[in-house]
């Protein structure tokens, strides 16, 4: 074995050892309920990077990083997903109603307002578009900060609160010791209102505002041997994210490449985290729907403006 190969294997083994050690013994506030592998015989199926779930957990919408959108329903048995009934996988369109070409179709973040308006963030040409219907997009203002984002590391996470404020979080902050910025779109203007501290090698990939009014952030780390996932939760005030709590940190390859998250309450009042994986259209990866529960209902802290 060549020396370089030995060093690579040793580094990989060390990474795995540190990953297992760092995850072992950490209290998990969320506990795993079930994972469902979703398969559809359609060349457009896969690559899911954003997820929204209805308030009761029965219906969903997902987007893919090849510029497609699909909606459907979960069929549950004993509270766990047993089957998925989905509609057609449809292409997202530009403001002129045209199907997006390959070089600008990388949809990453998804948020749906209470009135049904859909927001989608795109990479490469970093932007956020809104959809009143799926026939055509409406452009949102594109601030200079978006244009400066790293290639293939744009707005990965979107979320919308009860006041219709839209939150946008990039995958990278630009430096290992720099917090992730959080832009808020309100009254036609983007403002860098919040920041999220970087902790370890995890990067934001999905977000949602839960029914408790808190921000839930899904993060991913690639270790060289597979993916790890983490979910953090934050309270929201008028100028800061507070009460940072880590709900979940997985070991490498516990799940596939989780990228989308939705938060809802089941009929017992318990909070559920539903997440979807991006299989990158690779045969050795999988599309899975993963669900976790927080063991007790959480009191809503409200939001201070």
């Amino acid at each position: 074995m060549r020396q370089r190969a030995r060093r690579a294997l040793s580094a990989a083994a060390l990474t795995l050892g540190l990953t297992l050690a760092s995850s072992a013994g950490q209290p998990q506030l969320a506990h795993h309920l079930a994972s469902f592998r979703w398969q559809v015989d359609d060349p457009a199926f896969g690559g899911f990077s954003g997820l929204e779930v209805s308030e009761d957990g029965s219906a969903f919408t997902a987007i893919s990083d090849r510029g497609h959108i699909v909606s459907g329903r979960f069929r549950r048995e004993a509270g766990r997903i047993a089957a998925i009934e989905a509609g057609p996988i449809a292409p997202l369109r530009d403001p002129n109603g045209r199907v997006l070409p390959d070089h600008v179709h990388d949809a990453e973040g998804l948020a749906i307002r209470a009135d049904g308006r859909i927001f989608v963030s795109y990479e490469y040409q970093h932007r956020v578009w809104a959809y009143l219907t799926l026939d055509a997009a409406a452009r949102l203002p594109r601030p200079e900060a978006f244009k400066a984002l790293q290639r293939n590391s744009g707005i990965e996470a979107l979320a919308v609160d009860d006041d219709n404020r839209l939150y946008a979080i990039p995958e990278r902050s630009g430096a290992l010791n720099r917090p992730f910025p959080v832009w808020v779109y309100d009254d036609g203007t983007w403002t860098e209102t919040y920041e999220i501290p970087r902790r370890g090698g995890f990067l934001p990939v999905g977000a949602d505002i839960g029914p408790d009014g808190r921000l839930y952030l899904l993060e991913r780390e690639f270790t060289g041997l597979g993916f790890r996932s983490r979910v953090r939760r934050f309270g929201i005030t008028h100028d800061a994210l507070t009460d940072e709590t880590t709900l979940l940190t997985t070991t490498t390859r516990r799940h596939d490449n989780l990228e989308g998250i939705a938060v809802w309450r089941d009929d017992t009042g318990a909070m559920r985290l539903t997440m979807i994986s991006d299989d990158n259209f690779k045969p050795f990866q999988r599309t899975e729907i993963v669900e976790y529960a927080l063991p007790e209902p959480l009191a809503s802290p409200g939001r201070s403006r």
Side-chain angles (χ1 to χ4, degrees):
M1 183 182 293
R2 294 180 180 178
Q3 187 175 5
R4 181 180 298 177
R6 290 195 189 97
R7 287 199 300 265
L9 286 175
S10 298
L14 177 60
T15 299
L16 178 60
L18 291 174
T19 295
L20 294 174
S22 64
S23 297
Q26 287 187 354
Q28 302 289 304
L29 297 183
H31 65 270
H32 183 235
L33 292 174
S35 296
F36 178 86
R37 184 166 185 175
W38 187 21
Q39 296 175 287
V40 174
D41 186 16
D42 185 327
F45 178 84
F48 294 110
S49 52
L51 178 70
E52 283 282 342
V53 172
S54 61
E55 290 184 359
D56 65 355
S58 64
F60 73 92
T61 297
I63 57 168
S64 83
D65 53 19
R66 288 190 182 174
H68 288 87
I69 187 167
V70 61
S71 294
R73 302 188 68 83
F74 298 125
R75 182 167 62 80
R76 296 178 184 274
E77 296 178 359
R80 300 183 179 188
I81 298 172
I84 293 177
E85 300 169 355
I89 302 173
L92 290 163
R93 297 179 181 271
D94 71 10
N96 296 313
R98 297 172 300 202
V99 173
L100 299 175
D102 290 352
H103 66 286
V104 293
H105 68 184
D106 191 355
E108 293 292 343
L110 173 68
I112 302 179
R113 219 163 65 177
D115 62 4
R117 182 170 300 190
I118 297 171
F119 298 93
V120 178
S121 65
Y122 294 89
E123 285 193 325
Y124 294 104
Q125 291 182 7
H126 305 300
R127 66 203 188 278
V128 179
W129 284 351
Y131 293 85
L132 293 174
T133 72
L134 294 179
D135 295 332
R139 292 185 176 91
L140 270 63
R142 188 168 177 240
E144 290 298 320
F146 284 14
K147 300 175 186 179
L149 292 172
Q150 295 172 246
R151 186 174 179 83
N152 199 33
S153 297
I155 303 298
E156 282 274 336
L158 292 179
V160 65
D161 66 20
D162 288 341
D163 293 331
N164 292 330
R165 302 197 314 161
L166 181 66
Y167 298 67
I169 307 168
E171 183 177 7
R172 296 183 184 274
S173 63
L176 293 176
N177 59 353
R178 182 182 302 162
F180 301 105
V182 181
W183 291 284
V184 175
Y185 183 72
D186 191 23
D187 292 330
T189 303
W190 288 103
T191 304
E192 188 176 330
T193 307
Y194 305 113
E195 60 181 33
I196 294 174
R198 291 187 71 142
R199 309 265 187 235
F202 287 93
L203 300 173
V205 288
D208 197 16
I209 304 293
D212 56 355
R214 296 177 170 101
L215 174 66
Y216 288 75
L217 180 69
L218 171 63
E219 298 170 287
R220 169 190 62 198
E221 180 182 36
F222 182 66
T223 67
L225 299 176
F227 298 97
R228 301 176 65 205
S229 299
R230 182 173 69 189
V231 177
R232 287 190 283 172
R233 183 186 66 207
F234 300 86
I236 305 172
T237 71
H238 72 284
D239 61 356
L241 299 180
T242 64
D243 304 322
E244 176 186 344
T245 304
T246 298
L247 303 174
L248 169 69
T249 306
T250 71
T251 54
T252 301
R253 301 180 70 179
R254 175 68 175 88
H255 304 298
D256 207 288
N257 177 28
L258 297 180
E259 285 206 17
I261 183 172
V263 187
W264 53 284
R265 288 191 194 277
D266 65 19
D267 54 10
T268 71
M271 201 78 72
R272 294 277 192 105
L273 312 177
T274 299
M275 294 169 281
I276 192 168
S277 67
D278 175 359
D279 68 354
N280 293 302
F281 294 92
K282 303 294 186 185
F284 51 85
Q285 290 186 254
R286 63 193 183 276
T287 297
E288 61 177 343
I289 311 291
V290 175
E291 295 200 311
Y292 280 76
L294 299 178
E296 296 178 1
L298 297 174
S300 174
R303 180 161 59 82
S304 174
R305 297 297 298 271

